[in-house]
Amino acid sequence: MNKLGLIIKREYLAKVRNKSFVVMTFLSPILMVGMVVLIAYLTKINDNEQRVIGILNNSDYFSNEFVITENTSYIQFRDIPLEAAKDSAAQMGFYGLLYIPDEASLEKVCERAFLYTKEAPSTAVTEKIEAVFQQRLRQQRLLDLGLSASDFEALDTDFDIKTATFQGETNVKGIAEIKAFIGGGFGYLIMMFIIIYGGFVMRSVIEEKTSRIIEVIISSVKPFQLMLGKILGTSLAGITQFAIWLVSASLLLLVVFAFFDIDPSALGAGSRIQTEMGGDMVSPVPNVDQTMLLYAQELVDIPWGMLIFFFLVYFLLGYLIYSSIYAAIGAAVDNETDTQQFIFPVILPLMLAIYVGFFSVFSNPHGPIAVGFSLFPLTSPIVMLMRLPGGIGEGGVPVWELVVSILLLLGTFIGIVWLAAKIYRVGILMYGKKPTYKELYRWLKY
Amino acid sequence: MNNILVAKEVTKKFGEHTALDRVSLEIPRNSIYGLLGPNGAGKTTLIRIVNQITYPDQGEVFFDGEALQPHHIAQIGYLPEERGLYKSMKVGEQALYLAQLKGLGKSEAKKRLKYWFDRLEIGDWWNKKIQELSKGMAQKIQFIVTVLHEPKLLIFDEPFSGFDPINANIIKDEILQLKEQGTSIIFSTHRMESVEELCEYIALINRSEKVLDGKLSDIKKAYKNNVFDVGVVTSDAESILRELTERFHIRSSKYDAGENQLDFTLQLPDNDSSGVLAYLSTKARVNHFVETIPSTSEIFIRTVQSKSVHE
């Protein structure tokens, strides 16, 4: 076995056998699911609160507009003074009392209406009540304009614009956002991987320095081999972890499907049906199922193969660039507390990429900012991936941008790894002091 | 080709600082060679160049008659001054890994490790982690890893620091054994007295420059100055001292009247001591008559001082 292979194997095993790695691998999916369940449960409890609101209605403008919902019910008070109504509402433990006075006009009624509550009311409650008043006001004004009640019904419609490209491909509203979101997911994955596993690489370099084994090893292998082996071994461990998560997530999903009695193959079949009826899309207002199928169709139509291919390309190059910087940082310092000043400038472009991606790529995937950041090598792995789900070529990312972006990334990769290897080579043999940027620059010339 | 390692005019600079300034060395095959000098003199830089960890700015290094090349690494064993092992890795696994990095096959490495573990009586450590071992124990493992691939040249940087005297002796014996088997050995240290008795050849390095090198016995011969420690038993110390003082220079003397023991240090004009010895044996019973050989550190100090006077 060659030396690089030996180093990769050792780094991989050292990482994978580490107790915290094992715990993290198996615990974090459980934690994630647990968090989701917990949040859902807490939200549910929060919403489950039963509220009773008393209504003292003295006006003719309102009769039974307040409809009982799952967790709010209304009880009408009649022919008692406001104070008495407030008292009895409080005594009966009602959430509140809505007072609707008798006035000459609806406007006046609305102006004088009042909600008394035990404590400051939640916005959910006030919104609901306000909506009823607004609806009533609107209705009244339309009536004043001479529209009948049935006209009013007819007015109340929903409308979704149907869109298509010039080539006649149908689009579904919001699909661009969904696509950007999928790209964003990939980009986010890359960022997380870089930060987590770059950190691992850095810590493992520091460990070799503090345990003083480094010189023993580099009397047998080239420092560059050691650095490369370390980065590759650690990332293989990371890929293992991701693979385990992916498999367990799919298993979990299957369990969920089985639980809710969903046939996963039906999703595939559905999209096929959709393709067949693609011709008569002019059918009037598509029902909900059809809309869902349209979305499914769009998602299936995303060029997944291309996306995954470029994900791998950008992931590989981006990760190698950043993790070699992390390795150089690890080599330059003696302990982890000294790394802060160097790490911030490394994380900065990553954060920038994520935020720029989410703000500008979502609103305009081909705007100048999005294009610029998807060409700049330190942000392109994230930002370009956010743009790619829209496809390549017409309507998507122009081919030249993709080519330039990858070429720049490749060039940067070679340059950065070369610089990092130089710093690494000098740094691993330096003990006892925290270097400044100036010294790092000097090391490049040793 | 009688030299295992030859350095020719090796110069290495780190920025403004010159770590090695035109250092030339010849290290004879199958010898024990002492690379001596204070901390920061440039010894470790030189050793790192030999191990191809860094490269010289100028000059050349030849190993076994060939210009130094990457494949020579497998024929050199190096125990660095800053040495350690992976703390959370098992002893056996770790030794195997380091042996394989030196180019040994797995089964061969296992066989040799077993031999060495048995030899140093640490066979039951195989599955322990380094963090469970003491510093001295870990040093034994490091020694084994250094010599396991049976290199032609062994380099020990500050070899005995961190060892207790018992373990230091065990390791010393093992090193001598390896020398018997034909290995060439370099000791690098700033504690010159620690290796003086072992070295046949030395080089003194001070402030990036080689100040002196050669066979230790030749150097000592060149630096001895005809001073003798003498001890005689006599009842008439005064007349002996008087007579000697007329002819020679007596540096110090001490007379113990109770034991009739007279000790003194005598400076002779040349290395011919027979006349004095003959005279003394007629006057008294000679206890000892020893030429004082300067220690390596004395030689070092004298060389450095005379150099700075010349400058």
Side-chain angles (χ1 to χ4, degrees), chain A residues 224 227-228 320-321 324 412-422:
Chain A
F224 182 71
M227 186 177 104
L228 197 65
L320 286 176
I321 286 178
S324 53
T412 313
F413 161 69
I414 293 165
I416 294 257
V417 170
W418 182 74
L419 286 178
K422 286 203 120 183

Side-chain angles (χ1 to χ4, degrees), chain A residues 3 17 208 211-212 215, chain B residues 48 78 82 84 86 93 101:
Chain A
K3 291 179 182 180
R17 281 188 199 158
E208 277 177 358
S211 70
R212 299 287 195 263
E215 198 166 349
Chain B
R48 282 177 180 166
Y78 173 37
E82 297 283 1
Y86 288 114
E93 223 176 321
L101 283 187

Side-chain angles (χ1 to χ4, degrees), chain A residues 1 14 17 69 86 98 221 265 274 364 382 389 404 424 437:
Chain A
M1 199 188 267
R17 281 188 199 158
T69 61
K86 275 205 275 189
L98 177 64
V221 301
S265 64
Q274 198 54 49
N364 183 6
I382 292 167
V404 168
Y424 179 84
Y437 280 103

